[in-house]
Amino acid sequence: EPWKAGFYNIEITLEGGKKFAYQWKPWDNDLFRASGIKTEGWMTFYIPLTSFVNVNANDSEKNIPDVSKIRDLFVAFSNGAEGATEIPSHYVALDNFRIVNIR
């Protein structure tokens, strides 16, 4: 089944507890939105760290200030709240998470 609903919540936590989050929906773009995404093998994706937003209410820091302070990575699948699109099957394998600081 092509993947065309739901998303992965990806959170990065820094030393001191600041959290930055991103909702990963690789099917939600002009190429895959109508048909969904389906591969015949591994596919590499990258998410720029600038896409992660600060979830700390009283913190003006917009982006991850220092990748050397990253301590935790949390990934969880969600199909949204009430009234979400049913996903008949979801076969996804995630591995090899890397955080690369490119300057």
Side-chain angles (χ1 to χ4, degrees), residues 11-42:
E11 288 183 3
I12 292 175
T13 305
L14 307 182
E15 254 177 32
K18 285 185 185 182
K19 288 187 181 192
F20 295 81
Y22 180 77
Q23 285 188 351
W24 184 54
K25 301 183 263 185
W27 54 266
D28 191 15
N29 60 53
D30 291 340
L31 186 59
F32 298 116
R33 194 172 293 116
S35 63
I37 187 170
K38 183 176 181 177
T39 68
E40 298 301 323
W42 290 105

Side-chain angles (χ1 to χ4, degrees):
E1 290 288 325
W3 177 20
K4 51 188 171 183
F7 52 88
Y8 280 90
N9 282 314
I10 304 172
E11 288 183 3
I12 292 175
T13 305
L14 307 182
E15 254 177 32
K18 285 185 185 182
K19 288 187 181 192
F20 295 81
Y22 180 77
Q23 285 188 351
W24 184 54
K25 301 183 263 185
W27 54 266
D28 191 15
N29 60 53
D30 291 340
L31 186 59
F32 298 116
R33 194 172 293 116
S35 63
I37 187 170
K38 183 176 181 177
T39 68
E40 298 301 323
W42 290 105
M43 185 179 247
T44 299
F45 292 92
Y46 73 91
I47 304 165
L49 287 178
T50 53
S51 297
F52 285 78
V53 296
N54 191 333
V55 299
N56 303 286
N58 297 320
D59 191 347
S60 62
E61 207 158 38
K62 196 172 169 183
N63 298 110
I64 296 171
D66 184 353
V67 295
S68 71
K69 303 296 184 198
I70 294 174
R71 294 298 174 255
D72 294 307
L73 174 70
F74 175 79
V75 180
F77 184 76
S78 176
N79 196 24
E82 213 173 294
T85 302
E86 181 181 339
I87 299 175
S89 63
H90 186 67
Y91 299 107
V92 173
L94 304 172
D95 86 350
N96 201 15
F97 286 90
R98 291 181 282 166
I99 297 173
V100 180
N101 188 16
I102 301 172
R103 298 238 179 218

